[in-house]
Amino acid sequence: MRVYLQGGLGNQLFQLAAGLAVTERLQVNLVLDCSRLGNPETALRKFALGPYKLPARVHVDLKPSRYSIFMNKRQVNRLRNIWRNRHLVETEGKFDTKFLRVRPGSTLDGYFQSSLYFQNVKDEILGILESCDLGDEKQVVKRLNSEPFSAVHIRRGDYTDPLIAKVHGLAGPGYFKRAVELIAKDKGNTRFLYFSDSPELVQHELDLTPEDFVPNSLSEVATLWLMSRGNNVVASNSSFSWWAGFICTNRVNGKVVVPEPWFRDSTPDDLVPTSWIRLAK
């Protein structure tokens, strides 16, 4: 079995989870194909799962050949999907029932952003997420996690690019203010920790101070781990936020608030768990 990795850490976790679900069902090994990520030394998106302890049945193909890179381009993939019924291209933006009929030797190609894809390995995925090696950041994370808190993830960065915003939309300051008020009203005097790739911009938007923010110098893995320690999560419309909410829900049954719609104009049917709270973004 092979699955293509693409996107950042949040997307790669979805792809890993889908691949593990199939390999568990079929009792085969899994190859994480990094050809979509480009040159591991120069590409914008890199293999992000290294700090996690992956199962023995997982092999990482970090440096695929030029032939492999060509054969794994999207246009070629679609031709292969016509010629062979062993290449699943996710196109529906929701849980694809063809996923349940994948056979040994197949390739998974998509984002697979739904917990429905990995229900049979949910505990294994949660264990992998707990297994991350925080390295030198362990003490910083431990200090920030010394008291209970609710996590607020505010993604700006590339989402402020007009071309990207046309697809994803941007959760505005009003959404975050309402979400924080909702949790504070329900949970009482809770401490809020803010996570953002653009802290100075967000400070201005929400009238916050630098002390309200987690250092954005933390690695992706350490940031996600710390965010998921929150007793509640206010999410951006980001797969990174999704995983923090998913861990929180399964760890302490906390409240998770997400923006509606998730993308600019819509929310995929099976993306947001029914227990999560949706607020207009």
Side-chain angles (χ1 to χ4, degrees):
M1 283 294 306
R2 180 177 294 266
V3 62
Y4 297 121
L5 296 185
Q6 50 195 326
L9 174 60
N11 284 319
Q12 291 181 36
L13 285 170
F14 274 117
Q15 292 144 18
L16 169 67
L20 287 176
V22 172
T23 58
E24 174 65 21
R25 176 171 62 85
L26 299 178
Q27 292 298 294
V28 295
N29 292 328
L30 175 66
V31 174
L32 302 180
D33 189 313
C34 298
S35 58
R36 293 277 176 82
L37 301 176
N39 187 317
E41 297 179 0
T42 61
L44 177 63
R45 296 295 193 183
K46 296 179 173 60
F47 177 66
L49 305 177
Y52 297 104
K53 186 176 181 180
L54 299 177
R57 69 182 187 278
V58 176
H59 170 72
V60 182
D61 190 0
L62 279 174
K63 294 185 177 180
S65 66
R66 290 184 179 180
Y67 172 80
S68 175
I69 291 173
F70 171 77
M71 292 302 291
N72 295 335
K73 289 183 177 179
R74 286 178 176 81
Q75 297 89 337
V76 178
N77 284 334
R78 280 160 175 74
L79 289 174
R80 292 170 67 193
N81 193 39
I82 293 172
W83 295 334
R84 305 163 55 198
N85 191 27
R86 291 193 180 183
H87 189 100
L88 176 62
V89 179
E90 183 200 31
T91 58
E92 299 182 13
K94 60 180 181 179
F95 180 74
D96 189 341
T97 57
K98 293 194 295 294
F99 180 81
L100 302 174
R101 300 192 294 274
V102 168
R103 297 178 293 168
S106 297
T107 298
L108 303 180
D109 180 0
Y111 287 95
F112 304 101
Q113 293 182 341
S114 171
S115 62
L116 297 180
Y117 282 109
F118 59 88
Q119 285 300 303
N120 63 322
V121 291
K122 184 180 81 170
D123 290 343
E124 183 178 28
I125 293 298
L126 289 169
I128 291 171
L129 289 164
E130 289 292 326
S131 75
C132 63
D133 181 3
L134 299 176
D136 295 338
E137 298 176 306
K138 187 173 183 179
Q139 292 304 315
V140 177
V141 169
K142 183 178 180 180
R143 175 177 58 81
L144 291 167
N145 189 36
S146 60
E147 298 177 19
F149 68 92
S150 293
V152 184
H153 179 221
I154 305 178
R155 181 164 176 173
R156 291 292 182 255
D158 59 340
Y159 273 30
T160 62
D161 183 302
L163 292 177
I164 295 177
K166 284 184 179 180
V167 176
H168 291 279
L170 195 68
Y175 157 75
F176 291 104
K177 290 178 181 178
R178 293 193 304 274
V180 166
E181 289 171 359
L182 185 153
I183 289 178
K185 182 179 179 181
D186 184 66
K187 299 297 183 180
N189 187 24
T190 183
R191 177 174 70 125
F192 288 94
L193 276 183
Y194 289 81
F195 299 74
S196 180
D197 52 7
S198 306
E200 293 182 359
L201 173 62
V202 174
Q203 284 176 45
H204 176 71
E205 288 182 344
L206 298 180
D207 192 25
L208 299 170
T209 68
E211 290 71 30
D212 293 314
F213 288 82
V214 169
N216 68 348
S217 57
L218 285 178
S219 67
E220 278 190 311
V221 170
T223 301
L224 178 58
W225 191 91
L226 179 59
M227 204 190 319
S228 71
R229 297 303 97 181
N231 292 330
N232 309 282
V233 174
V234 174
S236 286
N237 51 325
S238 159
S239 59
F240 195 80
S241 280
W242 190 98
W243 282 103
F246 180 76
I247 299 168
C248 172
T249 300
N250 285 277
R251 187 177 63 82
V252 293
N253 195 29
K255 284 186 178 297
V256 179
V257 184
V258 297
E260 174 66 28
W262 185 269
F263 291 106
R264 181 177 179 178
D265 300 314
S266 64
T267 299
D269 290 347
D270 304 313
L271 173 64
V272 178
T274 56
S275 63
W276 293 8
I277 301 167
R278 305 187 190 198
L279 285 183
K281 74 178 182 187

